[in-house]
Amino acid sequence: MGDAFILDTVRTPRGRGKAGKGALSGTHPQELVAQLLNALAARNNLTREDVQDLILGIVSQVGEQGACLARPALLAAGWPDEVTGTTLNRFCGSGLQAVNFAAMGVMSGQQQLVIGGGVESMSRVAMGSDGGMLDGNNMKLREKQPLVPQGISADLIATMEGFTRDDVDKFALQSQKKAAIAVEGKRFDKSIIPVVDDTGKVLLTKDEHARPDTTPESLAKLEPSFVMMGAALDPIALKRYPDVKAINHVHTAGNSSGIVDGAGLVLLGTKEYADAHGLKKRGRIRATATVGAEPLIMLTAPAPASAKALKLAGMEVKDIDLWEINEAFATVPLQTIRKLGIDPERVNVNGGAIAMGHPLGATGAILMGTALDELERTGKSTALITLCIGGGMGIATIIERV
């Protein structure tokens, strides 16, 4: 097996995911990807026809996000007809899975230059628009394997772990504070590509969802999001976990990930191609892993996925300098930190999805860029990116700065 080197990463800012209100809500998701493709080509003086595939993660693959979005995005960008594209859906892990598949193509020797990434325009194609839910509306399967919405799963985990409302709110506050420091310090500027309209007018230059003025008091005022839903659905979860007497609903809009629009891309290639074309090798993929876990509780797999990736890389938790654990809900990184014994000071050092939002299909690719930029900024060596995934899966990737 050869190495897959990270040659560059780009992303859009994350726009508020409300139709007609977010800065990116008027931009077609194909155009978000197209602008990133052309920025990636320009930054690296790419011979575009050398790119052998574009692999995109997209969760809601319907309407404007249907039609194998990767191919029309390439056409919208004016790329050569020879460049192919494909899409995949591993729910919230889609963007990272697309990067991992791109890396596998390079590592196998079958490809020399590939782009992986993802996109989600949640203002234009709402979450759940494909109508499939988590089980494809298979009533026979639903009877065999009941599921509940992720918010109830997150509250169930918090209850079982003993995480209080104060615990998850404190984590959320830190996410906002760290994101504010990162923005002020221009830590995201290396990867962010401002999005423009057809006239060239700049629509957005920085993440729009962050709330740097968040306080403990403002978080405490928010009502739990899943109480009403839980009145009907908590019994399903409690039947699976009978030792839990009642679910303590602690997650709110303030300590859960934000709904946003955004896209991210990662350029990967072989050493030989990079050297021959004068491309800087910024990072290397050390290991990738996916793991399944109990489907109803759903959000506990980042810890075993990370442990599997560490084993494949011959590493231990202490060997990872920076952790990017997607903040789908505050309880996810909190549970992963506890399960693996991670130093919290190494986790999401520039904030996460609670502050800046979670464009479902794009987040994994965005987090890889954030991690690599921070490794370079601080001179550190290794990072692990991990996300929880609907239906009880987790994904993890370890990268090393070159």
Side-chain angles (χ1 to χ4, degrees):
M1 295 289 287
D3 283 321
F5 288 95
I6 304 168
L7 307 180
D8 203 4
T9 71
V10 292
R11 72 170 177 95
T12 69
R14 283 165 278 201
R16 195 172 297 120
K18 293 185 177 181
K21 296 182 179 180
L24 302 184
S25 63
T27 305
H28 197 290
Q30 293 175 10
E31 297 297 331
L32 294 179
V33 177
Q35 291 190 30
L36 291 185
L37 284 167
N38 286 333
L40 201 58
R43 282 162 55 121
N44 296 281
N45 194 27
L46 288 183
T47 302
R48 300 178 188 195
E49 53 266 32
D50 285 353
V51 176
Q52 290 165 286
D53 213 357
L54 167 65
I55 307 172
L56 289 181
I58 307 165
V59 174
S60 296
Q61 294 191 31
V62 66
E64 292 183 339
Q65 290 183 170
C68 186
L69 188 149
R71 178 59 173 175
L74 286 160
L75 299 177
W79 277 43
D81 292 346
E82 294 88 341
V83 184
T84 58
T86 191
T87 63
L88 63 87
N89 179 7
R90 201 191 282 277
F91 297 131
C92 295
S94 299
L96 190 58
Q97 186 63 72
V99 174
N100 290 353
F101 278 161
M104 291 174 192
V106 172
M107 294 165 77
S108 72
Q110 294 297 301
Q111 296 172 309
Q112 61 178 355
L113 191 66
V114 189
I115 298 171
V119 64
E120 205 83 29
S121 286
M122 301 179 76
S123 65
R124 298 172 71 96
V125 185
M127 184 165 47
S129 292
D130 61 3
M133 306 298 289
L134 289 170
D135 56 14
N137 292 313
N138 182 342
M139 297 305 149
K140 184 177 180 180
L141 173 61
R142 194 169 296 177
E143 184 176 342
K144 180 181 179 181
Q145 175 56 68
L147 298 174
V148 294
Q150 289 189 6
I152 292 176
S153 297
D155 285 338
L156 173 61
I157 294 167
T159 302
M160 294 173 67
E161 293 284 346
F163 297 140
T164 65
R165 171 66 183 272
D166 187 53
D167 291 331
V168 291
D169 277 356
K170 282 181 176 178
F171 186 90
L173 183 62
Q174 286 302 308
S175 182
Q176 295 284 0
K177 287 183 174 180
K178 288 187 285 189
I181 292 170
V183 171
E184 182 68 23
K186 303 184 184 302
R187 296 182 188 178
F188 301 131
D189 289 8
K190 188 171 186 176
S191 288
I192 284 183
I193 304 300
V195 176
V196 300
D197 66 12
D198 291 342
T199 69
K201 177 185 176 183
V202 175
L203 298 175
L204 191 63
T205 61
K206 65 179 182 179
D207 297 311
E208 190 178 28
H209 184 270
R211 296 289 182 271
D213 57 350
T214 300
T215 64
E217 293 75 21
S218 64
L219 287 171
K221 290 177 181 178
L222 297 173
E223 293 294 324
S225 300
F226 305 103
V227 172
M228 291 183 63
M229 188 184 296
L233 299 177
D234 282 2
I236 297 173
L238 295 174
K239 185 176 180 181
R240 176 65 180 80
Y241 292 90
D243 291 342
V244 179
K245 302 307 178 186
I247 295 176
N248 183 22
H249 291 285
V250 298
H251 287 94
T252 70
N255 55 43
S256 306
S257 57
I259 294 173
V260 294
D261 304 331
L265 298 178
V266 179
L267 178 67
L268 299 117
T270 62
K271 177 183 185 300
E272 292 75 16
Y273 185 90
D275 290 347
H277 293 81
L279 296 173
K280 181 181 178 181
K281 300 183 291 294
R282 295 179 56 194
R284 180 169 71 95
I285 304 291
R286 286 285 301 268
T288 72
T290 57
V291 165
E294 196 280 301
L296 186 144
I297 204 165
M298 197 177 315
L299 309 175
T300 58
S306 298
K308 184 176 180 180
L310 288 167
K311 184 176 181 180
L312 288 169
M315 302 173 73
E316 298 179 7
V317 169
K318 63 180 177 61
D319 297 324
I320 300 297
D321 295 317
L322 298 172
W323 292 76
E324 287 290 340
I325 306 172
N326 188 39
E327 298 172 358
F329 302 90
T331 196
V332 175
L334 285 172
Q335 193 264 355
T336 307
I337 288 167
R338 174 179 287 179
K339 186 74 174 177
L340 294 179
I342 304 168
D343 178 0
E345 295 299 315
R346 301 186 182 195
V347 175
N348 300 1
V349 298
N350 291 318
I354 289 173
M356 293 172 288
H358 175 24
L360 305 178
T363 301
I366 290 173
L367 292 183
M368 181 170 286
T370 298
L372 182 58
D373 287 349
E374 185 65 11
L375 289 177
E376 291 177 340
R377 187 187 75 85
T378 58
K380 292 183 168 65
S381 296
T382 58
L384 189 150
I385 303 101
T386 184
L387 299 92
C388 60
I389 301 172
M393 296 184 284
I395 187 168
T397 304
I398 299 173
I399 64 172
E400 179 179 44
R401 180 176 65 89
V402 174

